[in-house]
Every structure is written in structure tokens, then in C-alpha cells.
Amino acid sequence: MNPLAGQLNEKLQAGNPHVFDMLSTLGKELYFPKEGILSQSAEAAAHAKKYNATIGIATEGGIPMHLGVIQEKLSAFAPKDLYPYAPPAGKPELRSLWRDKMLEENPSLQGKSFGNPIATNALTHGLSIVADLFVDEGDAVIYPDKNWENYDLTFGVRRHGVNVNFPLFTSEMTFNAAGLRDALLAQKDRGKAVVILNFPNNPTGYTPGAAEGDAIVAAIKDAAEAGINVVVVTDDAYFGLFFEDSLKESLFGRLADLHPRVLAVKVDGATKEEFVWGFRVGFITYASENKDVLDALEQKTLGIIRATISSGPHPSQTFVLDALKAPGFKEQKEEKLQIMKGRANKVKDILDSGKYSEAWDYYPFNSGYFMCLKLKTVQAEALRSHLIHEYGIGTIALGEHDLRIAFSCIEEPYLEDLFDLIHQGVQDLQQA
């Protein structure tokens, strides 16, 4: 093992041995080089005032070399904010502003000890960092039965974790905190579990209310008090898109100092929050009362970044930073939120009209991009295929009876026609 990795491990063991025990074998071996190209280049940037012949970019006229056909499209930004490599942890000012944004939008974080967000190549990259750091073959990764299918690839296929699912909803159609608790306590012999909390939920568009949030936190605390080390990941991909009565904060704040055996990790980003899907700007943030624990986890995270993508894209980080600082940012974001809320409410009005009641029920939704139909009479995949080939309508089939609808990408005047055609598709299959 590299001595730097050993030093980080010693800091973790001294700061919180439970967090050290959560690490995967890879996680224990990871470190960020203090010597080498990056560190020597950083030293040169600070002190080499005559010639800096270190990092592998080209310069011309004292600025990064670039092509006019590219720069003319990006002329609002200085070449220094576009073309050089971004730091592995991301642009410092962007990280700082994102942290301020987290505190403003999550009052429960006030007074809590958590690190500076580290920039990732959007949220999938952040989740893969969690998988690399904390999941070994056979480790339990717990999340609801209605989930984003990429969890299986990220935690199961890549890291050979055991995916443990529990029903998302109770019979009363509230979040199944008891199911989460049971899934956690079943890991007593393993002594460790990774939990993924994704709200607003993909695919259902559901965010729990305050009482459900209390029950989720209590379930995780019960597991910790039973001697289970729990890594809790809040996948906040759709954060802020809350349309009705629900939690309006990430549970990250409530989990941040819950118990020494609980490590809270927040994965979020500009992707959906700021409607910049292709920019691929995300963040990963750790919470711990111990500064040495935070430092060690962040250094190991930088080691993963250095070993995989080296650093994230500089232009998109600059674009997001510029937007966060813009005077009209909050107002424009609120305008888009209201459009999304209008679509969600319209969908509920349409579905509650009763004209489709023989064909489907729907799962509760109050946030995010999606909702799910629970088909009563036909198979989801058969309907999905029929709709796309006969009506030119794309939907997502999940399991035998669930059909996911992204109302986020259908403008409000067309929503009723969409559901009418889906209903017609059900009738076609019934008559076939």
C-alpha cells in the first residue's frame, strides 16, 4: 500500500474507526499524490515567474492557445476560464458557491460539519465514486424496488455489491420506512450497508413528507445503534423540484451528525436543478464532525478522480459558476419551476378525472420529472411497444405493470392528448 494511503487510513481510524471500516478494499488503497505532475505544476504556477514549462497545455501570447472558430462562439468568457484543465476538485469559486447554495436551501445544515463539495462529472460519476470507495463484493446496497436502473450497474455490476430492495410504498401509499429498517437490520451479520435515498424519486416522482422523513432518519439510527455501519447516500438529482406538501430539504442535513456509525454523503449537481443536462456538472459532499475524516475522504475522492477522469470539464463549470452569480438566476429558475409544477398539476387533474380508472391507477407523485402508471389490464412492455410503433409515443416500461411518463418534456396543452392516446393503446391491446 502506498504510504500516503496508509496515512489517510490512520487519520480515519483515529477520527472515526467506523468510517474506516466502511471503506472498500479499493477505498483503503486510494490516495491523492502529493508529488508528481499536478503538485509540481501547482508549485510552478505559484513561483515560476520567468518560464513555466510544466503542465501539458499550449499557450500563445500569454494565454491558453485556442482556435478562433471555437472562441468566437464563446467570446463572453476569457480563454483562461475555458481551455486549461480545471483542478481535480473543481473550480474553487464554484465549489464555494455551491456550498453556500446548499446552506441556503437546506437550513438543517446550519451548524453541521460537512466538507466542501467536490466537482464530479455529473451525478452518475458521484455515485460511482461512492461505489468505489465503499462497496466490496457482497456488501449490501439498499434502495427501494422502484429505482433508477443505473444503480444496478454502478453498485452491482461494477462493484459486485448485493442489491437489496424493499417496497417503496406502504399499503397506505406512504414511504415504507419500516421496509427500509427491516432491510438494514437484516445486515447485522455483515455489519455494514450502503443506503441510497433518491428524492424526488425516479421513476415515481415521489418525495416523502415530514413525518416520513422522521421515520427514515429513525430507521437509519436504529441500524447504527444495532452496530451496523451505514453509508447513506442522498441522490439529490432532482432537488428543488418540489410541487406540493413534501420535504423541501435534502435529508443530508438530518443525517449529517446522526450517529458515529452513519456517514452521510450528498450527491447532487446542476444537471436537473439548473436545467443543464449536457453540462455534466455534479458534486459529492461528505459530512463528519471530525475534520481529519473529511480531509481523508476528500483526498481519497481526489485520488479516484485523478485515476479515472483526471478532472471535470472546465467550460461547463465556468458556465454554471457564471449562472449562479447572475442577478436573474433565482427568478429564472423559479419561472421554470412553476412551468414544471403546472405540468405536474395538470397531469393530476387529468388522471383524477376518472375517465381512465378502468385502465390504471397511479403512484403518488409530488415532485421531480416523472410519474408512474400502475396498469390494471395489460403488460407494461406490450403497451410501451404498441404505443411507440402505432402512435409514435415513447414511454418507459418498468416491470410487469408500471409505465413511467416524463411529464417534464411534454408541454401542458398536450398532456391530455398524451394520456388519451395511452388509454387508446390499452384499449387496442384489450381488443386484440
Side-chain angles (χ1 to χ4, degrees):
M1 181 182 294
N2 186 282
L4 291 175
Q7 291 170 19
L8 295 176
N9 292 341
E10 289 171 5
K11 290 175 73 170
L12 282 171
Q13 287 174 309
N16 187 334
H18 303 306
V19 173
F20 174 76
D21 290 339
M22 295 174 192
L23 291 174
S24 65
T25 300
L26 175 61
K28 290 171 182 172
E29 294 174 344
L30 280 162
Y31 63 94
F32 186 67
K34 289 185 177 177
E35 298 178 357
I37 292 173
L38 289 182
S39 61
Q40 293 178 45
S41 295
E43 184 180 2
H47 301 291
K49 303 304 182 185
K50 187 167 186 177
Y51 302 119
N52 182 0
T54 58
I55 200 153
I57 69 166
T59 61
E60 187 176 26
I63 62 174
M65 187 180 290
H66 55 272
L67 303 181
V69 292
I70 295 176
Q71 183 60 29
E72 68 186 15
K73 303 294 191 302
L74 302 170
S75 57
F77 301 95
K80 69 180 179 62
D81 290 321
L82 298 171
Y83 303 110
Y85 298 114
K91 290 173 75 81
E93 188 180 5
L94 174 62
R95 297 174 64 201
S96 178
L97 276 179
W98 196 263
R99 193 180 196 278
D100 291 345
K101 178 176 176 289
M102 286 170 55
L103 280 165
E104 180 182 347
E105 296 175 343
N106 297 274
S108 59
L109 276 173
Q110 295 292 337
K112 303 292 179 72
S113 176
F114 64 101
N116 209 20
I118 294 173
T120 60
N121 191 27
L123 284 88
T124 305
H125 181 216
L127 292 168
S128 75
I129 289 172
V130 172
D132 285 345
L133 270 180
F134 299 108
V135 179
D136 270 327
E137 184 168 356
D139 285 344
V141 184
I142 301 172
Y143 50 89
D145 59 346
K146 300 189 187 308
N147 55 71
W148 185 42
E149 63 181 13
N150 210 20
Y151 291 155
D152 183 49
L153 281 175
T154 302
F155 295 94
V157 175
R158 284 186 67 252
R159 298 295 302 160
H160 295 174
V162 177
N163 298 327
V164 178
N165 297 147
F166 62 93
L168 173 61
F169 293 113
T170 65
S171 57
E172 290 80 28
M173 288 296 160
T174 58
F175 183 86
N176 184 14
L180 169 62
R181 183 179 183 275
D182 290 345
L184 273 165
L185 293 178
Q187 313 313 316
K188 176 69 174 174
D189 290 343
R190 284 193 174 105
K192 171 185 170 183
V194 176
V195 175
I196 305 172
L197 300 175
N198 170 222
F199 306 126
N201 172 261
N202 176 4
T204 65
Y206 186 71
T207 296
E212 295 163 282
D214 291 343
I216 292 168
V217 173
I220 292 166
K221 189 173 183 180
D222 286 349
E225 292 179 342
I228 301 168
N229 294 330
V230 187
V231 181
V232 189
V233 186
T234 59
D235 175 356
D236 295 331
Y238 301 89
F239 181 80
L241 293 163
F242 306 118
F243 309 136
E244 296 179 23
D245 253 350
S246 72
L247 293 170
K248 298 295 193 294
E249 294 186 46
S250 169
L251 284 174
F252 178 72
R254 297 276 305 279
L255 297 165
D257 60 356
L258 184 65
H259 192 280
R261 289 187 181 271
V262 174
L263 175 66
V265 185
K266 191 178 197 296
V267 177
D268 59 15
T271 308
K272 277 94 175 178
E273 287 190 44
E274 324 318 344
F275 309 100
V276 289
W277 309 274
F279 283 18
R280 315 309 294 153
V281 177
F283 300 91
I284 184 168
T285 309
Y286 302 99
S288 175
E289 294 181 315
N290 188 289
K291 299 296 185 184
D292 284 344
V293 170
L294 288 176
D295 178 66
L297 290 175
E298 289 168 2
Q299 289 297 309
K300 287 177 177 288
T301 298
L302 292 181
I304 297 175
I305 292 172
R306 178 62 174 158
T308 51
I309 65 168
S310 193
S311 65
H314 196 163
S316 52
Q317 290 187 37
T318 292
F319 301 156
V320 172
L321 173 60
D322 189 67
L324 291 175
K325 294 162 62 177
F329 170 73
K330 290 183 179 179
E331 290 77 10
Q332 291 182 23
K333 186 172 174 179
E334 178 62 24
E335 177 188 342
K336 302 307 180 189
L337 173 64
Q338 291 305 316
I339 292 172
M340 295 284 284
K341 181 177 180 178
R343 293 176 186 179
N345 290 340
K346 180 66 173 180
V347 169
K348 283 201 172 175
D349 289 343
I350 293 167
L351 296 178
D352 289 341
S353 67
K355 63 178 177 177
Y356 314 121
S357 56
E358 86 290 349
W360 58 63
D361 293 322
Y362 67 88
Y363 295 102
F365 67 99
N366 54 15
S367 52
Y369 279 24
F370 311 111
M371 57 80 56
C372 268
L373 302 176
K374 185 177 183 181
L375 304 173
K376 293 180 177 180
T377 59
V378 299
Q379 297 287 307
E381 173 55 26
L383 179 58
R384 183 202 69 81
S385 180
H386 182 71
L387 289 171
I388 199 166
H389 292 296
E390 297 301 321
Y391 294 97
I393 294 173
T395 56
I396 300 293
L398 301 168
E400 291 188 11
H401 301 295
D402 294 348
L403 195 72
R404 192 189 78 174
I405 312 296
F407 57 79
S408 59
C409 57
I410 307 297
E411 295 192 44
E412 196 171 324
Y414 306 112
L415 285 166
E416 188 159 12
D417 185 50
L418 169 67
F419 285 99
D420 283 345
L421 290 171
I422 295 172
H423 186 238
Q424 183 60 55
V426 171
Q427 293 180 318
D428 294 346
L429 292 178
Q430 287 175 322
Q431 296 165 6

